[in-house]
């Protein structure tokens, strides 16, 4: 193995200043990337593979594997992670029982409990090459102690991730006592994004007025918007059209995201045909959480059973920005999860009928560039000279191979510093009549 192969790093492994033999998405050949002071300074095409020499001891050898900008987690609930079963398990598997179980757990949260679970989860995300995270934080809590704790986590976790905090009214804006005041206060305290949950409000009218309220709040305070929107199989849940129309009128498409929109999987085609015209005019982003939605939705069906996801390929083909996210890790809504968004990508592509050749070749878009666009990261993201030296080395040379082999992030560089490296387990063989080299990896 090379002296500076990803898993056997150079003498100064925490401060590399270049990577050789990197493959970049969308470009052919191999590249050397150089950085200093945390900024990418050069992206140089190579004539061929470079042999490792002593002059490379401050670098990494990508060995022809992909180097990408960091993976992005655009939708998670860090205040609720690692609480499943405390005190009660969600036995029905529905969104609504999840909200009830969370209300029980919420009554017991403390600042230390919130912070330690959030930091543990952030480490799980960073261990999987994620450096940009948008977390929803429940603000239907008098006193907003959880939000305060998460604002502290946002600062404390900067070495590992950039964190955006959504003021998320889990139990409603209009149907929760002082819901509007709590939202205003959350924004004043420093939430980056304004959230909502119109399908959970008591009436259709309240759902609509909550959207007017939150869009105005975001506009007035220059915040982003990310609404839990139509997270139900009910085809009559049509708040997306209201959010999209407000987005269009205010010309806020680059700043607004509709999360879940699972009801769209139950809308009929005639309605969707009309809706898509508006969505394109509005230009908002979409987040789908495929493992979460296939678990929570379809719960009131017998057979045939709905998949309960939004129309991911159709949104993508229409030119709208759509990405995948984890949503939960071991919480009242979803009992599994380990921080690995590549697992979510794998599930999402299967559930959405997106294993066509073209989709496989660009699959990583859904957990990198598209997530970055939903989070409005702009020039803070991407492999370009002058941008932050935030880079992730993957275990395969292409999107397709990464998915087929269920590959991993092997190393993560943040502002030029190596913050994570991972070694993969190897398979050992007994003597067999075929040679290991003939076997498929
Ligand atoms: N809250 C909610 O309303 N929906 C979800 N999927 C989660 C929390 C995880
Ligand atoms: Fe969510």
């Amino acid at each position: 193995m090379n002296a500076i192969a990803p898993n056997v790093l150079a003498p100064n492994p925490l401060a590399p200043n270049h990577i050789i033999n990197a493959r970049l998405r969308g470009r052919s050949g191999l590249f050397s990337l150089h950085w200093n002071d945390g900024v990418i300074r050069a992206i140089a095409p190579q004539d061929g593979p470079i042999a490792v020499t002593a002059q490379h001891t401050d670098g990494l050898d990508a060995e022809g594997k992909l180097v990408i900008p960091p993976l992005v987690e655009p939708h998670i609930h860090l205040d609720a992670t690692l609480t499943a079963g405390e005190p009660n398990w969600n036995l029905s598997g529905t969104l609504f029982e999840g909200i009830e179980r969370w209300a029980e757990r919420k009554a017991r949260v403390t600042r230390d409990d919130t912070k330690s679970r959030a930091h543990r989860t952030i480490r799980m995300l960073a261990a999987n090459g994620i450096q940009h995270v948008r977390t929803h934080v429940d603000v239907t809590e008098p006193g907003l102690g959880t939000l305060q704790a998460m604002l502290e986590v946002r600062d404390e976790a900067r070495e590992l991730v950039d964190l955006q905090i959504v003021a998320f009214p889990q139990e409603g804006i209009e149907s929760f006592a002082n819901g509007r005041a709590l939202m205003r206060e959350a924004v004043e305290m420093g939430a980056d994004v304004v959230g909502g949950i119109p399908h959970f409000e008591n009436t259709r009218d309240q759902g609509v007025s909550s959207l007017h309220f939150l869009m105005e709040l975001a506009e007035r305070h220059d915040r982003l918007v990310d609404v839990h929107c139509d997270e139900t199989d009910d085809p009559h849940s049509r708040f997306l059209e209201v959010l999209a129309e407000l987005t269009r009128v205010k010309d806020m498409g680059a700043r607004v995201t509709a999360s879940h929109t699972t009801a769209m999987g139950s809308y009929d085609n005639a309605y969707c045909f009309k809706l898509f015209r508006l969505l394109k005019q509005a230009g908002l982003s979409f987040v789908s959480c495929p493992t979460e939605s296939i678990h929570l939705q379809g719960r009131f069906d017998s057979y045939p059973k709905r998949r309960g996801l939004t129309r991911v390929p159709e949104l993508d083909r229409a030119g709208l920005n759509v990405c995948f996210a984890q949503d939960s890790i071991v919480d009242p809504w979803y009992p599994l999860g380990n921080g690995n968004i590549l697992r979510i990508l794998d599930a999402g592509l299967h559930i959405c009928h997106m294993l066509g050749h073209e989709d496989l070749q660009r699959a990583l878009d859904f957990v990198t560039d598209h997530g970055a666009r939903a989070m409005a990261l702009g020039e803070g993201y991407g492999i370009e000279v002058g941008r932050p030296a935030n880079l992730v080395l993957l275990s395969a040379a292409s999107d397709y191979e990464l998915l087929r082999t269920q590959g991993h992030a092997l190393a993560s560089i943040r502002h030029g510093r190596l913050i994570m490296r991972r070694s993969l387990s190897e398979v050992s063989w007994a003597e067999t009549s075929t040679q290991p080299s003939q076997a498929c990896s």
Side-chain angles (χ1 to χ4, degrees):
M1 195 177 270
N2 285 326
I4 56 167
N7 305 324
V8 185
L9 287 161
N12 192 8
L14 293 181
N17 59 20
H18 68 277
I19 295 185
I20 57 172
N21 298 324
R23 214 170 283 281
L24 301 179
R25 297 182 69 232
R27 299 165 79 164
S28 54
L30 295 173
F31 293 82
S32 299
L33 310 179
H34 295 259
W35 60 88
N36 60 37
D37 296 333
V39 175
I40 300 173
R41 304 294 177 188
I43 303 171
Q46 297 175 191
D47 290 337
I50 293 178
V52 175
T53 66
Q55 81 186 64
H56 295 119
T57 51
D58 287 338
L60 303 174
D61 183 0
E63 299 181 317
K65 308 281 188 351
L66 279 176
V67 172
I68 62 167
L71 293 157
V72 175
E73 174 49 73
H75 187 128
I76 194 161
H77 296 251
L78 290 178
D79 58 339
T81 52
L82 309 178
T83 63
E86 297 174 3
N88 294 306
W89 292 92
N90 178 346
L91 297 179
S92 66
T94 59
L95 168 71
F96 294 93
E97 186 177 343
I99 295 173
E100 267 177 58
R101 298 284 83 84
W102 169 240
E104 292 163 0
R105 181 61 173 78
K106 189 160 78 168
R108 306 174 169 193
V109 290
T110 64
R111 176 171 164 278
D112 288 351
D113 162 45
T114 298
K115 288 181 67 168
S116 88
R117 286 185 291 98
H119 279 301
R120 273 158 63 204
T121 311
I122 287 169
R123 210 154 266 278
M124 293 161 83
L125 301 176
N128 286 284
I130 292 167
Q131 291 186 26
H132 303 280
V133 180
R134 176 177 284 178
T135 181
H136 296 256
V137 177
D138 186 357
V139 298
T140 48
E141 176 200 34
L144 295 176
T146 302
L147 176 65
Q148 183 54 46
M150 288 302 305
L151 291 167
E152 290 168 23
V153 169
R154 185 176 64 185
D155 284 337
E156 291 160 2
R158 274 190 205 287
E159 272 178 82
L160 297 182
V161 295
D162 295 323
L163 194 58
Q164 283 183 358
I165 292 184
V166 187
F168 172 53
Q170 177 68 77
E171 296 183 56
I173 294 176
E174 309 291 45
S175 40
F176 189 77
N178 296 320
R180 287 189 176 211
L182 287 165
M183 288 294 288
R184 284 194 203 98
E185 201 181 330
V187 167
E188 270 154 31
M189 284 168 67
D192 307 283
V193 188
V194 177
I197 187 163
H199 55 276
F200 188 76
E201 303 284 357
N202 288 335
T203 67
R204 158 97 199 159
D205 287 347
Q206 287 179 342
V208 172
S209 68
S210 75
L211 288 170
H212 283 269
F213 167 78
L214 72 90
M215 286 294 283
E216 275 154 33
L217 184 65
E219 195 180 25
R220 192 161 359 105
H221 293 271
D222 199 23
R223 296 299 201 273
L224 303 170
V225 172
D226 191 332
V227 176
H228 279 64
C229 196
D230 304 314
E231 190 185 8
T232 163
D233 289 319
D234 176 4
H236 302 293
S237 186
R238 294 183 171 187
F239 295 103
L240 176 58
E241 65 181 22
V242 181
L243 178 64
E245 176 63 357
L246 290 168
T247 302
R248 184 188 71 79
V249 168
K250 293 178 188 294
D251 194 20
M252 283 174 63
R255 301 175 65 76
V256 175
T257 296
S259 283
H260 301 301
T261 60
T262 56
M264 201 199 289
S266 296
Y267 294 161
D268 64 47
N269 287 341
Y271 175 64
C272 266
F273 185 83
K274 175 186 176 234
L275 177 65
F276 268 54
R277 180 173 169 273
L278 168 61
L279 299 180
K280 284 190 266 184
Q281 289 173 354
L284 72 177
S285 287
F286 292 82
V287 176
S288 170
C289 304
T291 49
E292 183 95 6
S293 295
I294 197 117
H295 170 65
L296 292 178
Q297 306 303 323
R299 290 284 172 169
F300 302 97
D301 294 355
S302 55
Y303 288 92
K305 226 184 250 287
R306 282 170 285 186
R307 296 178 186 209
L309 265 67
T310 194
R311 299 191 180 202
V312 175
E314 290 79 7
L315 290 166
D316 178 63
R317 307 314 182 235
L320 287 152
N321 184 49
V322 50
C323 54
F324 286 130
Q326 305 190 54
D327 207 6
S328 293
I329 296 179
V330 192
D331 73 10
W333 294 273
Y334 183 76
L336 305 178
N338 56 14
N340 183 6
I341 192 141
L342 296 173
R343 172 182 161 265
I344 307 302
L345 175 62
D346 186 321
L349 296 175
H350 280 86
I351 298 166
C352 297
H353 283 166
M354 291 175 74
L355 298 180
H357 190 60
E358 286 183 6
D359 285 323
L360 288 176
Q361 284 180 305
R362 57 178 282 261
L364 285 167
D365 286 350
F366 292 90
V367 288
T368 56
D369 295 350
H370 293 193
R373 191 168 147 202
M375 288 182 66
L377 298 182
E379 296 192 351
Y381 187 84
I383 300 186
E384 302 275 352
V385 171
R387 295 195 183 181
N390 296 340
L391 305 164
V392 166
L393 172 64
L394 298 176
S395 62
S398 69
D399 291 29
Y400 188 169
E401 269 310 283
L402 189 78
L403 276 156
R404 189 188 69 74
T405 56
Q406 297 191 297
H408 286 279
L410 293 184
S412 183
I413 291 156
R414 181 163 166 82
H415 301 307
R417 210 173 138 244
L418 184 69
I419 58 166
M420 180 283 292
R421 58 184 162 146
R422 172 187 290 272
S423 49
L424 297 182
S425 53
E426 281 181 21
V427 178
S428 309
W429 292 93
E431 283 294 315
T432 54
S433 53
T434 57
Q435 294 305 306
S437 61
Q438 291 173 277
C440 203
S441 64

